[in-house]
Amino acid sequence: MQITHRTYRNADVISISGQFNFGTRKEFTAAMEKVKQSGSAHVILNFQQVTFVDSAAIGLLALSSQHYKGTSRKLSLVGIQGTVKQVLQLAHIDQMIPTYASEDLAIGAKAA
């Protein structure tokens, strides 16, 4: 898994590529902690290049969702595709974290 961080308009974007699983949880946690420290009002997780997720990844997404629900900050998922999309839907992650087709749509959406 590779993680990159960048700022796009008024949001911090964390782009993930490859497999997001138990073995890569520390990388994701470190990236999320860095963004939390920045105090960004909107964090976008770009999953366009994610090819696999396991239960550890689902758990980390659920924990991230809970963290952001208790703040005035927004968390969004974008670009989820194929099997990854099916798995996240089965785990109801799409009900916890708003999902969008693109970063622009996520930025333009009103806070839930």
Side-chain angles (χ1 to χ4, degrees):
M1 175 175 85
Q2 285 188 310
I3 295 179
T4 58
H5 173 249
R6 63 185 167 83
T7 302
Y8 179 65
R9 293 172 51 185
N10 65 342
D12 277 313
V13 178
I14 296 176
S15 296
I16 301 170
S17 62
Q19 295 189 7
F20 181 12
N21 57 34
F22 180 79
T24 58
R25 72 193 182 288
K26 290 181 183 178
E27 293 170 66
F28 177 78
T29 302
M32 289 299 286
E33 190 58 39
K34 183 177 179 182
V35 170
K36 285 178 196 175
Q37 300 293 331
S38 76
S40 176
H42 189 180
V43 176
I44 296 173
L45 300 175
N46 188 322
F47 270 46
Q48 192 168 5
Q49 299 297 317
V50 175
T51 58
F52 175 84
V53 293
D54 69 2
S55 60
I58 291 167
L60 286 171
L61 290 172
L63 286 171
S64 296
S65 170
Q66 291 303 313
H67 171 79
Y68 280 88
K69 283 203 187 308
T71 68
S72 60
R73 298 161 71 182
K74 183 178 176 185
L75 179 66
S76 302
L77 284 168
V78 300
I80 303 169
Q81 305 178 67
T83 305
V84 171
K85 184 175 185 174
Q86 291 174 333
V87 169
L88 295 181
Q89 285 175 336
L90 287 170
H92 302 289
I93 294 298
D94 58 331
Q95 294 176 15
M96 293 181 221
I97 304 172
T99 59
Y100 303 94
S102 72
E103 292 173 7
D104 287 323
L105 289 174
I107 288 170
K110 298 273 189 227

